[in-house]
Amino acid sequence: MRTLAEIPLEYRQHVILVDDGSHDRTVEIAKEAGLIVFCHEVNLGYGANQKTCYTQALAMGADIIVMVHPDHQYDASMIPEMIQPISDGKADAVFGSRMLGRKPLEGGMPWWKYDANIFLTSFANIVFRRYLTEIHSGFRAYSRKYLETVRFEQNSNNFVFDTQIIAQGMENGLYFEEVPIVTRYFPEASSINLGRSIEYGFEILWTLFRFYLHRKNIWRNPLYEAKN
């Protein structure tokens, strides 16, 4: 509810929440708050949650879709700044960047996540041959054009979905911008542990390796081809 309260009133008309097989009162509370709720009967994963969100948002006619994690880690009051570059026709995707916000450690980001973030983002920039300050943000905005161009439905159901959808946009010549944000880390905020983070890091490296081979026409991957 704290995340919902931060969303400016004019952006609360079409808020979608996908419940990924939870066993708490999430669905009940979301419906009481007037949100549009879709439910997975079982837990399908972080990427699967996004697939449902984007598919349903497009079906409802959305021109700009904003993803913000509901755990109050990201400042949802920044939504107007996130969508402005897309509204102005300057970008197809906008990412909130903790690195541009300059205070990731002050906000409570663990040092090992900070170092891994810098390393993996730097490596991704080399592979993509384009520059982003962060590829791991959970606060993003996509245009309809972006989501109708890339094959996001074929991406992983897990956390590496976030890297795959960036790689797809890079390969298809879509435009990115970043907005400085700050984040809040606290015990109730969702976060993956060190072991899962290491696994996630290797999944990113594998994704970047496959993307590199695709771009060099060594091992083509339909995942990175445009839908049309």
Side-chain angles (χ1 to χ4, degrees):
M1 294 301 293
R2 290 179 296 176
T3 301
L4 180 63
E6 279 187 339
I7 299 175
L9 283 173
E10 60 268 34
Y11 297 99
R12 294 188 201 174
Q13 299 94 331
H14 304 290
V15 178
I16 293 174
L17 181 138
V18 176
D19 179 78
D20 197 28
S22 70
H23 299 288
D24 54 23
R25 296 182 60 244
T26 297
V27 173
E28 178 185 348
I29 293 172
K31 288 182 177 179
E32 289 175 354
L35 306 188
I36 301 165
V37 180
F38 297 95
C39 299
H40 294 165
E41 293 300 321
V42 296
N43 185 279
L44 299 177
Y46 172 78
N49 191 298
Q50 288 192 63
K51 292 177 188 180
T52 299
C53 283
Y54 301 150
T55 300
Q56 296 297 338
L58 291 173
M60 292 167 60
D63 292 317
I64 301 175
I65 297 93
V66 178
M67 176 187 74
V68 57
H69 292 182
D71 59 3
H72 199 55
Q73 190 174 90
Y74 296 94
D75 182 2
S77 69
M78 290 290 295
I79 286 177
E81 287 80 0
M82 292 286 292
I83 69 173
Q84 194 64 49
I86 299 176
S87 296
D88 292 343
K90 297 178 179 178
D92 301 301
V94 178
F95 298 160
S97 171
R98 292 166 286 192
M99 300 307 170
L100 284 178
R102 299 179 182 274
K103 296 181 179 180
L105 293 175
E106 290 88 337
M109 179 187 285
W111 65 266
W112 53 271
K113 283 192 175 183
Y114 176 80
D115 290 345
N117 193 324
I118 291 176
F119 168 74
L120 291 169
T121 298
S122 298
F123 189 72
N125 286 333
I126 293 172
V127 174
F128 293 146
R129 296 183 302 209
R130 290 165 71 179
Y131 180 71
L132 292 172
T133 63
E134 180 178 11
I135 65 168
H136 309 289
S137 175
F139 194 6
R140 305 180 175 198
Y142 295 107
S143 67
R144 169 174 284 270
K145 173 187 174 183
Y146 194 109
L147 295 176
E148 287 184 338
T149 298
V150 305
R151 300 174 183 267
F152 71 87
E153 303 92 341
Q154 298 177 21
N155 289 349
S156 169
N157 283 345
N158 297 318
F159 290 101
V160 78
F161 176 99
D162 279 348
T163 304
Q164 291 174 327
I165 198 170
I166 294 175
Q168 290 168 323
M170 292 289 182
E171 179 63 5
N172 286 283
L174 299 172
Y175 292 92
F176 298 79
E177 284 201 14
E178 294 179 293
V179 171
I181 61 168
V182 294
T183 48
R184 300 167 286 233
Y185 290 82
F186 48 94
E188 294 82 11
S190 61
S191 182
I192 57 177
N193 59 32
L194 177 59
R196 185 64 188 88
S197 295
I198 293 173
E199 181 182 348
Y200 168 58
F202 280 110
E203 289 173 349
I204 291 174
L205 293 175
W206 174 247
T207 295
L208 295 173
F209 177 64
R210 283 299 316 270
F211 176 82
Y212 175 80
L213 294 179
H214 171 86
R215 176 167 278 181
K216 292 293 184 180
N217 288 313
I218 297 172
W219 186 7
R220 299 291 292 180
N221 189 339
L223 188 70
Y224 302 117
E225 303 290 348
K227 287 180 184 176
N228 299 318

